Amino acid sequence: MDVLTLLHKDHETVGALLDQAMKCEPDDDKLHDLATQIEQALTVHAAIEEKYFYPVLQKRAEETEETVDVFEAYTEHDLIKRLIALLRSGRQPDEQFKAEVQVLSENVKHHVKEEESTIFSLARDLMEIEEREDLGAKMERAKQRMLNAQESSGPKPKKTTLKKAPASKARARKAPARKKATRGTSRR
């Protein structure tokens, strides 16, 4: 499969997930599940693009101003990764969480629009069809390995907002209870 076709399909998948998330109410549990799916899909997508696709374009575009376009794509990925980190907080969906999903959605859609016009055009100019197909096959295999690794590691446990007492405080709380029990048994 041509690398551009592979990336376009990923864009459509993530776009559909983002559209579903935007229809959710802030307190909807489905929003958290969708955010997890979005995070996983974007993480894999960005990883394979950055490892295989962007370096080829960057190297081929070194002598031209198009290098700026490739660096812009990397920069947009960095911003999206920071937004994804907000979704990994593990907190329950609320208005702030929904706003973060919305900002992520806007940034991803902007990135996709630019990538599919500027970066895809650059790839068509700098790479032969056979190269794009070979790269697409290589990226598809890498994507499947990453997805399989995600599945085998299972879902990440949700973080809770409850804080555990530090070990020293927990021991201090237990110590008086033991003393009382000891005192009670010595009086008998």
Side-chain angles (χ1 to χ4, degrees), residues 38-57:
I38 292 164
E39 178 264 320
Q40 291 172 340
L42 284 174
T43 299
V44 170
H45 176 81
I48 63 171
E49 264 187 333
E50 291 175 9
K51 184 173 182 177
Y52 300 102
F53 185 55
Y54 289 171
V56 170
L57 294 181

Side-chain angles (χ1 to χ4, degrees), residues 20-21 24-25 27-37 93:
Q20 288 178 47
C24 292
E25 293 299 319
D27 60 350
D28 189 342
D29 284 336
K30 185 178 178 183
L31 180 59
H32 189 274
D33 293 339
L34 286 166
T36 300
Q37 291 176 52

Side-chain angles (χ1 to χ4, degrees), residues 4-30:
L4 304 181
T5 303
L6 172 69
L7 296 176
H8 177 73
K9 285 182 178 184
D10 283 356
H11 293 163
E12 286 181 333
T13 300
V14 171
L17 290 169
L18 288 165
D19 289 344
Q20 288 178 47
M22 294 315 305
K23 292 177 184 175
C24 292
E25 293 299 319
D27 60 350
D28 189 342
D29 284 336
K30 185 178 178 183

Side-chain angles (χ1 to χ4, degrees), residues 84-103:
I84 287 171
L86 295 174
L87 300 183
R88 290 183 179 151
S89 69
R91 69 180 189 277
Q92 292 301 310
D94 59 9
E95 287 79 8
Q96 181 180 350
F97 188 84
K98 172 75 184 250
E100 291 163 356
V101 172
Q102 184 170 343
V103 171

